[in-house]
Amino acid sequence: ALADDLNHAVADGQTDYILDTILKCVCKLGSKVPVYGTLVGLVNQEFPDFGKKMINRVHLRLEAACERDDFVQQKLLLRTAAELC
């Protein structure tokens, strides 16, 4: 159900909004990283560029977290990257 809603949102051109929202959730609710990874995987089946864009966004945010010495965010983003692999 949620994956279907995300697929419709991506089809409607809301990819950036969806990716930003998922990453905000990752950084606030780190215990749910496996759920977010599963959602990204399900959407990626329908839209293959979605997973690639997600990995690129995680990478950019990880670099920014390293520059800020934000160790908690680094940990959560690394956990997310591992979940997506």
Side-chain angles (χ1 to χ4, degrees):
L2 181 55
D4 292 335
D5 290 341
L6 290 176
N7 281 335
H8 291 302
V10 171
D12 290 342
Q14 298 179 22
T15 302
D16 292 335
Y17 175 75
I18 298 297
L19 292 172
D20 289 338
T21 302
I22 291 172
L23 284 172
K24 285 179 187 175
C25 292
V26 162
C27 293
K28 299 291 182 186
L29 297 168
S31 61
K32 302 291 184 184
V33 166
V35 174
Y36 307 134
T38 301
L39 285 173
V40 170
L42 290 170
V43 174
N44 192 58
Q45 285 182 324
E46 190 74 24
F47 302 96
D49 284 347
F50 188 80
K52 180 180 177 181
K53 290 178 182 178
M54 181 66 170
I55 290 288
N56 289 335
R57 295 247 177 143
V58 168
H59 178 250
L60 291 173
R61 287 203 182 198
L62 182 57
E63 283 183 339
C66 289
E67 290 174 2
R68 291 189 316 272
D69 290 333
D70 187 343
F71 300 113
V72 173
Q73 195 170 25
Q74 289 174 28
K75 177 184 76 169
L76 293 171
L77 290 166
L78 284 171
R79 190 181 296 166
T80 303
E83 186 69 34
L84 295 174
C85 291

